[in-house]
Amino acid sequence: MIQRFIELGEGYSDIYELLEIARSNQNRISQLLCLKTDINGRSQASLLVVLHPAPEGNFQPLYLCREGVPVPSKRYELFEDLSRAVEKDIITFDVKSSGEFQEKELYYHYLTGILRLNYLIPPLI
């Protein structure tokens, strides 16, 4: 199975695209995640919509708005509204900032490890 983070942006106007992806794929939503981190003393969140793999192709997308959503904020409230609408709880973790990694790809490997260890995404088979 191929699992890939698909970064839409940092959570400003692109959060509306994330919400629309979730609404239009309600039957495929596996998880709604909020990954909190501190950036310059402020609590910021990455919001993720994890979909079940498509029936063919064995590809699991993890749509992400990376570290641009303050908690609390109106944008985070929109994500909470989505959670209620699709009847999925938001699972929240504290994670390191992507700025602590030399490359963005290393940050995504770090997140993949956390998500697999907590059984939020399946292992590669």
PDB file of all heavy atoms in Angstrom, residues 21-43:
ATOM      1  N   ILE A  21     -12.921  18.289   0.619  1.00  0.00           N
ATOM      2  CA  ILE A  21     -12.452  16.925   0.335  1.00  0.00           C
ATOM      3  C   ILE A  21     -13.107  15.953   1.307  1.00  0.00           C
ATOM      4  O   ILE A  21     -13.580  14.882   0.922  1.00  0.00           O
ATOM      5  CB  ILE A  21     -10.908  16.847   0.411  1.00  0.00           C
ATOM      6  CG1 ILE A  21     -10.290  17.541  -0.792  1.00  0.00           C
ATOM      7  CG2 ILE A  21     -10.429  15.397   0.515  1.00  0.00           C
ATOM      8  CD1 ILE A  21      -8.788  17.755  -0.684  1.00  0.00           C
ATOM      9  N   ALA A  22     -13.157  16.326   2.576  1.00  0.00           N
ATOM     10  CA  ALA A  22     -13.763  15.457   3.589  1.00  0.00           C
ATOM     11  C   ALA A  22     -15.253  15.286   3.333  1.00  0.00           C
ATOM     12  O   ALA A  22     -15.774  14.158   3.391  1.00  0.00           O
ATOM     13  CB  ALA A  22     -13.518  16.023   4.983  1.00  0.00           C
ATOM     14  N   ARG A  23     -15.954  16.362   3.056  1.00  0.00           N
ATOM     15  CA  ARG A  23     -17.408  16.271   2.834  1.00  0.00           C
ATOM     16  C   ARG A  23     -17.734  15.424   1.614  1.00  0.00           C
ATOM     17  O   ARG A  23     -18.677  14.647   1.629  1.00  0.00           O
ATOM     18  CB  ARG A  23     -18.012  17.663   2.670  1.00  0.00           C
ATOM     19  CG  ARG A  23     -18.151  18.412   3.954  1.00  0.00           C
ATOM     20  CD  ARG A  23     -18.933  19.717   3.751  1.00  0.00           C
ATOM     21  NE  ARG A  23     -18.629  20.623   4.830  1.00  0.00           N
ATOM     22  CZ  ARG A  23     -17.832  21.668   4.765  1.00  0.00           C
ATOM     23  NH1 ARG A  23     -17.232  21.983   3.629  1.00  0.00           N
ATOM     24  NH2 ARG A  23     -17.618  22.419   5.809  1.00  0.00           N
ATOM     25  N   SER A  24     -16.959  15.574   0.552  1.00  0.00           N
ATOM     26  CA  SER A  24     -17.252  14.833  -0.676  1.00  0.00           C
ATOM     27  C   SER A  24     -16.786  13.382  -0.620  1.00  0.00           C
ATOM     28  O   SER A  24     -17.133  12.596  -1.490  1.00  0.00           O
ATOM     29  CB  SER A  24     -16.649  15.541  -1.886  1.00  0.00           C
ATOM     30  OG  SER A  24     -15.253  15.576  -1.792  1.00  0.00           O
ATOM     31  N   ASN A  25     -16.015  13.034   0.414  1.00  0.00           N
ATOM     32  CA  ASN A  25     -15.539  11.648   0.584  1.00  0.00           C
ATOM     33  C   ASN A  25     -15.929  11.092   1.954  1.00  0.00           C
ATOM     34  O   ASN A  25     -15.182  10.306   2.540  1.00  0.00           O
ATOM     35  CB  ASN A  25     -14.015  11.599   0.442  1.00  0.00           C
ATOM     36  CG  ASN A  25     -13.559  11.826  -0.966  1.00  0.00           C
ATOM     37  OD1 ASN A  25     -13.703  10.968  -1.815  1.00  0.00           O
ATOM     38  ND2 ASN A  25     -13.022  13.006  -1.226  1.00  0.00           N
ATOM     39  N   GLN A  26     -17.106  11.484   2.458  1.00  0.00           N
ATOM     40  CA  GLN A  26     -17.508  11.083   3.809  1.00  0.00           C
ATOM     41  C   GLN A  26     -17.422   9.580   4.030  1.00  0.00           C
ATOM     42  O   GLN A  26     -17.001   9.127   5.085  1.00  0.00           O
ATOM     43  CB  GLN A  26     -18.936  11.543   4.101  1.00  0.00           C
ATOM     44  CG  GLN A  26     -19.047  13.011   4.358  1.00  0.00           C
ATOM     45  CD  GLN A  26     -20.444  13.404   4.769  1.00  0.00           C
ATOM     46  OE1 GLN A  26     -21.118  12.662   5.464  1.00  0.00           O
ATOM     47  NE2 GLN A  26     -20.873  14.570   4.344  1.00  0.00           N
ATOM     48  N   ASN A  27     -17.811   8.804   3.026  1.00  0.00           N
ATOM     49  CA  ASN A  27     -17.809   7.344   3.179  1.00  0.00           C
ATOM     50  C   ASN A  27     -16.398   6.761   3.224  1.00  0.00           C
ATOM     51  O   ASN A  27     -16.225   5.609   3.627  1.00  0.00           O
ATOM     52  CB  ASN A  27     -18.610   6.687   2.056  1.00  0.00           C
ATOM     53  CG  ASN A  27     -18.041   6.999   0.682  1.00  0.00           C
ATOM     54  OD1 ASN A  27     -17.498   8.067   0.440  1.00  0.00           O
ATOM     55  ND2 ASN A  27     -18.178   6.053  -0.232  1.00  0.00           N
ATOM     56  N   ARG A  28     -15.381   7.545   2.843  1.00  0.00           N
ATOM     57  CA  ARG A  28     -13.994   7.051   2.845  1.00  0.00           C
ATOM     58  C   ARG A  28     -13.169   7.567   4.012  1.00  0.00           C
ATOM     59  O   ARG A  28     -12.023   7.153   4.186  1.00  0.00           O
ATOM     60  CB  ARG A  28     -13.285   7.465   1.543  1.00  0.00           C
ATOM     61  CG  ARG A  28     -13.766   6.693   0.332  1.00  0.00           C
ATOM     62  CD  ARG A  28     -12.951   7.022  -0.900  1.00  0.00           C
ATOM     63  NE  ARG A  28     -11.535   6.761  -0.704  1.00  0.00           N
ATOM     64  CZ  ARG A  28     -10.572   7.377  -1.387  1.00  0.00           C
ATOM     65  NH1 ARG A  28     -10.866   8.283  -2.287  1.00  0.00           N
ATOM     66  NH2 ARG A  28      -9.310   7.089  -1.158  1.00  0.00           N
ATOM     67  N   ILE A  29     -13.724   8.438   4.848  1.00  0.00           N
ATOM     68  CA  ILE A  29     -12.936   9.015   5.942  1.00  0.00           C
ATOM     69  C   ILE A  29     -12.566   7.934   6.946  1.00  0.00           C
ATOM     70  O   ILE A  29     -13.425   7.237   7.477  1.00  0.00           O
ATOM     71  CB  ILE A  29     -13.679  10.162   6.646  1.00  0.00           C
ATOM     72  CG1 ILE A  29     -13.869  11.336   5.696  1.00  0.00           C
ATOM     73  CG2 ILE A  29     -12.902  10.620   7.882  1.00  0.00           C
ATOM     74  CD1 ILE A  29     -14.691  12.478   6.278  1.00  0.00           C
ATOM     75  N   SER A  30     -11.281   7.814   7.182  1.00  0.00           N
ATOM     76  CA  SER A  30     -10.761   6.887   8.182  1.00  0.00           C
ATOM     77  C   SER A  30     -10.540   7.618   9.501  1.00  0.00           C
ATOM     78  O   SER A  30     -10.955   7.150  10.553  1.00  0.00           O
ATOM     79  CB  SER A  30      -9.443   6.284   7.677  1.00  0.00           C
ATOM     80  OG  SER A  30      -8.785   5.584   8.697  1.00  0.00           O
ATOM     81  N   GLN A  31      -9.867   8.772   9.444  1.00  0.00           N
ATOM     82  CA  GLN A  31      -9.527   9.530  10.656  1.00  0.00           C
ATOM     83  C   GLN A  31      -9.560  11.025  10.375  1.00  0.00           C
ATOM     84  O   GLN A  31      -9.262  11.459   9.255  1.00  0.00           O
ATOM     85  CB  GLN A  31      -8.096   9.191  11.128  1.00  0.00           C
ATOM     86  CG  GLN A  31      -7.775   7.741  11.295  1.00  0.00           C
ATOM     87  CD  GLN A  31      -8.457   7.108  12.481  1.00  0.00           C
ATOM     88  OE1 GLN A  31      -8.911   7.794  13.391  1.00  0.00           O
ATOM     89  NE2 GLN A  31      -8.538   5.801  12.474  1.00  0.00           N
ATOM     90  N   LEU A  32      -9.872  11.777  11.416  1.00  0.00           N
ATOM     91  CA  LEU A  32      -9.659  13.221  11.432  1.00  0.00           C
ATOM     92  C   LEU A  32      -8.633  13.466  12.523  1.00  0.00           C
ATOM     93  O   LEU A  32      -8.816  13.040  13.662  1.00  0.00           O
ATOM     94  CB  LEU A  32     -10.956  13.983  11.749  1.00  0.00           C
ATOM     95  CG  LEU A  32     -12.090  13.852  10.749  1.00  0.00           C
ATOM     96  CD1 LEU A  32     -13.314  14.618  11.236  1.00  0.00           C
ATOM     97  CD2 LEU A  32     -11.678  14.341   9.371  1.00  0.00           C
ATOM     98  N   LEU A  33      -7.529  14.127  12.175  1.00  0.00           N
ATOM     99  CA  LEU A  33      -6.428  14.303  13.112  1.00  0.00           C
ATOM    100  C   LEU A  33      -6.058  15.767  13.281  1.00  0.00           C
ATOM    101  O   LEU A  33      -6.118  16.545  12.326  1.00  0.00           O
ATOM    102  CB  LEU A  33      -5.188  13.549  12.620  1.00  0.00           C
ATOM    103  CG  LEU A  33      -5.341  12.055  12.345  1.00  0.00           C
ATOM    104  CD1 LEU A  33      -4.087  11.510  11.701  1.00  0.00           C
ATOM    105  CD2 LEU A  33      -5.645  11.313  13.621  1.00  0.00           C
ATOM    106  N   CYS A  34      -5.665  16.098  14.486  1.00  0.00           N
ATOM    107  CA  CYS A  34      -5.129  17.419  14.807  1.00  0.00           C
ATOM    108  C   CYS A  34      -3.765  17.183  15.459  1.00  0.00           C
ATOM    109  O   CYS A  34      -3.684  16.579  16.525  1.00  0.00           O
ATOM    110  CB  CYS A  34      -6.067  18.152  15.758  1.00  0.00           C
ATOM    111  SG  CYS A  34      -5.386  19.699  16.372  1.00  0.00           S
ATOM    112  N   LEU A  35      -2.708  17.620  14.785  1.00  0.00           N
ATOM    113  CA  LEU A  35      -1.352  17.451  15.295  1.00  0.00           C
ATOM    114  C   LEU A  35      -0.866  18.808  15.782  1.00  0.00           C
ATOM    115  O   LEU A  35      -0.567  19.695  14.979  1.00  0.00           O
ATOM    116  CB  LEU A  35      -0.436  16.899  14.206  1.00  0.00           C
ATOM    117  CG  LEU A  35      -0.923  15.606  13.541  1.00  0.00           C
ATOM    118  CD1 LEU A  35       0.040  15.174  12.448  1.00  0.00           C
ATOM    119  CD2 LEU A  35      -1.119  14.501  14.552  1.00  0.00           C
ATOM    120  N   LYS A  36      -0.818  18.982  17.095  1.00  0.00           N
ATOM    121  CA  LYS A  36      -0.456  20.273  17.686  1.00  0.00           C
ATOM    122  C   LYS A  36       1.049  20.377  17.890  1.00  0.00           C
ATOM    123  O   LYS A  36       1.714  19.401  18.200  1.00  0.00           O
ATOM    124  CB  LYS A  36      -1.148  20.448  19.037  1.00  0.00           C
ATOM    125  CG  LYS A  36      -2.640  20.600  18.947  1.00  0.00           C
ATOM    126  CD  LYS A  36      -3.219  20.843  20.319  1.00  0.00           C
ATOM    127  CE  LYS A  36      -4.724  20.983  20.268  1.00  0.00           C
ATOM    128  NZ  LYS A  36      -5.283  21.190  21.607  1.00  0.00           N
ATOM    129  N   THR A  37       1.540  21.600  17.718  1.00  0.00           N
ATOM    130  CA  THR A  37       2.943  21.888  17.959  1.00  0.00           C
ATOM    131  C   THR A  37       3.077  23.338  18.418  1.00  0.00           C
ATOM    132  O   THR A  37       2.164  24.135  18.219  1.00  0.00           O
ATOM    133  CB  THR A  37       3.790  21.637  16.687  1.00  0.00           C
ATOM    134  OG1 THR A  37       5.158  21.695  17.013  1.00  0.00           O
ATOM    135  CG2 THR A  37       3.480  22.637  15.599  1.00  0.00           C
ATOM    136  N   ASP A  38       4.184  23.645  19.053  1.00  0.00           N
ATOM    137  CA  ASP A  38       4.462  25.023  19.438  1.00  0.00           C
ATOM    138  C   ASP A  38       5.441  25.618  18.443  1.00  0.00           C
ATOM    139  O   ASP A  38       6.500  25.048  18.178  1.00  0.00           O
ATOM    140  CB  ASP A  38       5.086  25.097  20.842  1.00  0.00           C
ATOM    141  CG  ASP A  38       4.044  25.106  21.933  1.00  0.00           C
ATOM    142  OD1 ASP A  38       2.859  25.338  21.633  1.00  0.00           O
ATOM    143  OD2 ASP A  38       4.413  24.888  23.105  1.00  0.00           O
ATOM    144  N   ILE A  39       5.071  26.767  17.897  1.00  0.00           N
ATOM    145  CA  ILE A  39       5.950  27.495  16.989  1.00  0.00           C
ATOM    146  C   ILE A  39       6.053  28.913  17.530  1.00  0.00           C
ATOM    147  O   ILE A  39       5.047  29.625  17.601  1.00  0.00           O
ATOM    148  CB  ILE A  39       5.410  27.491  15.546  1.00  0.00           C
ATOM    149  CG1 ILE A  39       5.314  26.049  15.030  1.00  0.00           C
ATOM    150  CG2 ILE A  39       6.296  28.337  14.642  1.00  0.00           C
ATOM    151  CD1 ILE A  39       4.693  25.916  13.663  1.00  0.00           C
ATOM    152  N   ASN A  40       7.254  29.271  17.958  1.00  0.00           N
ATOM    153  CA  ASN A  40       7.500  30.598  18.545  1.00  0.00           C
ATOM    154  C   ASN A  40       6.537  30.895  19.694  1.00  0.00           C
ATOM    155  O   ASN A  40       5.993  31.997  19.792  1.00  0.00           O
ATOM    156  CB  ASN A  40       7.414  31.687  17.477  1.00  0.00           C
ATOM    157  CG  ASN A  40       8.438  31.511  16.392  1.00  0.00           C
ATOM    158  OD1 ASN A  40       9.562  31.083  16.643  1.00  0.00           O
ATOM    159  ND2 ASN A  40       8.069  31.827  15.168  1.00  0.00           N
ATOM    160  N   GLY A  41       6.289  29.887  20.533  1.00  0.00           N
ATOM    161  CA  GLY A  41       5.445  30.074  21.706  1.00  0.00           C
ATOM    162  C   GLY A  41       3.950  30.071  21.445  1.00  0.00           C
ATOM    163  O   GLY A  41       3.171  30.305  22.355  1.00  0.00           O
ATOM    164  N   ARG A  42       3.555  29.805  20.208  1.00  0.00           N
ATOM    165  CA  ARG A  42       2.132  29.761  19.873  1.00  0.00           C
ATOM    166  C   ARG A  42       1.727  28.345  19.511  1.00  0.00           C
ATOM    167  O   ARG A  42       2.465  27.638  18.823  1.00  0.00           O
ATOM    168  CB  ARG A  42       1.838  30.680  18.685  1.00  0.00           C
ATOM    169  CG  ARG A  42       2.120  32.157  19.005  1.00  0.00           C
ATOM    170  CD  ARG A  42       1.831  33.082  17.846  1.00  0.00           C
ATOM    171  NE  ARG A  42       0.453  32.921  17.413  1.00  0.00           N
ATOM    172  CZ  ARG A  42       0.034  33.117  16.169  1.00  0.00           C
ATOM    173  NH1 ARG A  42       0.901  33.454  15.237  1.00  0.00           N
ATOM    174  NH2 ARG A  42      -1.228  32.977  15.836  1.00  0.00           N
ATOM    175  N   SER A  43       0.544  27.939  19.956  1.00  0.00           N
ATOM    176  CA  SER A  43       0.022  26.610  19.640  1.00  0.00           C
ATOM    177  C   SER A  43      -0.558  26.626  18.227  1.00  0.00           C
ATOM    178  O   SER A  43      -1.515  27.330  17.953  1.00  0.00           O
ATOM    179  CB  SER A  43      -1.045  26.210  20.655  1.00  0.00           C
ATOM    180  OG  SER A  43      -1.521  24.919  20.368  1.00  0.00           O
TER     181      SER A  43
END
